[in-house]
Structures are given as structure tokens and as C-alpha cells.
Amino acid sequence: HLKSPIHPIGIYPRRANIKKGRELRQITEYLIARAPGPVVILGVHLCKSLSVHTIRLFNTTIQRNKSATLFLKPCCLPGRKDLQRREPPFWEFEHMQKGGFGVKTLYCEEIDQTGDDAKETHSSSKDTAIEMKKNARLLTKSKDRDSQVNKNNGEGESRHDHNHNPDQRLPKSNQKNSLFSKWVELLLDAVHLGDGVTRRIEHCPVQLNHFQNQFIVA
């Protein structure tokens, strides 16, 4: 159906690993640069570093004086476990204040964007790892407790018990919301503001019961 005549725009699938610089350059050179007109780079629910490399593709396209539009819907965050690596992932963007950003920027720095200069408070990766283990133990205990409630009272009563205090999971939800918003802000800053380029975040509540409703448009 991808090549059906009912589609106004031809769709030609191509498999590529955009995490590899060589393949990203090939896409830019052989597909985008040779397109007869403006291009649209669309990324839907791109997990972890896929969003980063999509922005890199857009930046490269603009730097080649090719007219392009970016629509990006970020999804999952990079994992906290990457903080324990000898060299945690860091993505270079020369125009950014620190030359780029990485998982340490996301999890170990509290950024205040109200001023021109970001105010940062650093915490060690060791402390973060300890906090992760503590949260994992608490989560395991919570699951065991919920399982015991389901066994004793039945599924219906257990569900009623959770709904009795709807705010009991709010702090964890707020934390995830805050981290996702920070991730989107970092991705937005990675978009290079070349000649005539604008960038913004749009909130589209496509998931009413979820917080991942932020889109990057450039």
C-alpha cells in the first residue's frame, strides 16, 4: 500500500541506523540534498538518543542551505544506568553553552533556565546510583504489598483502594514529568538557530493520562 496511486506523496522505505555517523551522512548526501524541494524531517516517539541524532540530521540539513522543517516527538529518556559507565554518553553540539549535553546533564545537574546563564548544582553519580537502588527496593516492596492486597481482597477492592488516594503516586509522576520536560528543553537547545531558523515546543494533549505531550517544531 506504500506505493499505491491513492497516496499523493510516494513513500519509499529505507533502513538505516542514524546512530552511526556514516549512515547519517549518507542520508543527508543521497536523500535530503538531492530532494527537488524542501524536506520535512519527522520523528514520532523516538526513544533515547534517536531524538538527538534526528536533531543532528536537521542541523546538518540546514547547514547545507537546504530548506527543512522538523517535527519531533521525543519519547523515552536515556537510562540512568548509563551514569555508571566509565564514559557516560555525551552528545556534542558546538553551539550549545557547554559544547553539548549528556546523561549527566539530564540526571545530575539542576538547570535554571530563567537567566541567560544556567545555574547548575552537581551531584555525584555515586549518590544517584544509591538513590536508584533505594527506589528499586521501595518499588519492589510496593509491588509485593499490592500483590498481597489483591490476593486478600480481590481485584475490585484493590482497585478501589488505589483510587481512594489518587495523589499517592503523584510525587513519582511529577518527577518523571520534570525530567521529561528537561529532556525536551535540552533537545530544543540542540537545534541550531541558523539563518531563518526558529524553534519552539508545542504542547499537544494526545495522551490525556500521560505527560509526554511535548513536541519540538523547527
Side-chain angles (χ1 to χ4, degrees):
H1 68 284
L2 294 179
K3 296 183 179 181
S4 171
I6 65 173
H7 289 285
I9 301 176
I11 300 177
Y12 304 95
R14 175 190 176 98
R15 178 180 294 181
N17 184 358
I18 64 173
K19 293 182 179 180
K20 295 183 179 296
R22 178 176 58 85
E23 296 196 33
L24 202 64
R25 289 191 294 271
Q26 288 179 349
I27 293 174
T28 304
E29 181 176 354
Y30 296 107
L31 294 179
I32 295 179
R34 298 182 181 183
V39 298
V40 175
I41 299 176
L42 173 65
V44 181
H45 280 275
L46 297 189
C47 293
K48 303 180 180 181
S49 64
L50 286 176
S51 292
V52 178
H53 296 294
T54 299
I55 290 176
R56 198 182 302 281
L57 177 63
F58 174 77
N59 289 347
T60 303
T61 301
I62 294 300
Q63 290 167 1
R64 287 173 171 255
N65 296 320
K66 183 71 175 179
S67 179
T69 299
L70 171 68
F71 294 97
L72 173 61
K73 169 64 180 72
C75 191
C76 306
L77 306 179
R80 286 180 181 268
K81 64 181 181 180
D82 288 336
L83 291 170
Q84 302 177 22
R85 294 169 58 176
R86 178 173 298 179
E87 295 184 2
F90 182 87
W91 302 286
E92 295 183 359
F93 289 90
E94 294 181 357
H95 66 278
M96 296 185 69
Q97 185 178 12
K98 288 192 171 183
F101 67 99
V103 293
K104 285 186 176 181
T105 319
L106 178 63
Y107 292 113
C108 298
E109 299 177 5
E110 183 180 351
I111 299 181
D112 180 8
Q113 299 288 353
T114 57
D116 294 333
D117 297 327
K119 299 177 181 179
E120 302 168 344
T121 302
H122 298 270
S123 62
S124 68
S125 299
K126 182 178 180 180
D127 291 340
T128 304
I130 293 175
E131 181 184 356
M132 288 170 57
K133 291 180 180 179
K134 180 180 178 181
N135 290 338
R137 289 195 297 268
L138 292 175
L139 181 60
T140 301
K141 290 181 180 179
S142 176
K143 288 182 177 179
D144 291 342
R145 185 169 59 251
D146 291 346
S147 177
Q148 187 64 34
V149 171
N150 290 338
K151 184 183 296 184
N152 294 338
N153 299 332
E155 184 65 25
E157 292 182 17
S158 175
R159 188 181 298 116
H160 174 75
D161 180 67
H162 283 302
N163 292 334
H164 180 68
N165 184 8
D167 295 331
Q168 61 182 350
R169 300 181 185 270
L170 190 58
K172 185 176 181 180
S173 176
N174 283 347
Q175 182 185 28
K176 289 183 178 180
N177 191 357
S178 177
L179 279 174
F180 183 76
S181 296
K182 183 177 178 181
W183 175 241
V184 175
E185 289 284 352
L186 289 170
L187 292 172
L188 182 72
D189 290 342
V191 176
H192 188 262
L193 290 176
D195 294 338
V197 177
T198 61
R199 62 190 185 190
R200 67 184 186 275
I201 295 175
E202 290 197 2
H203 295 262
C204 301
V206 295
Q207 302 179 91
L208 298 180
N209 296 321
H210 209 271
F211 52 82
Q212 294 183 350
N213 292 313
Q214 300 181 43
F215 295 70
I216 294 176
V217 181

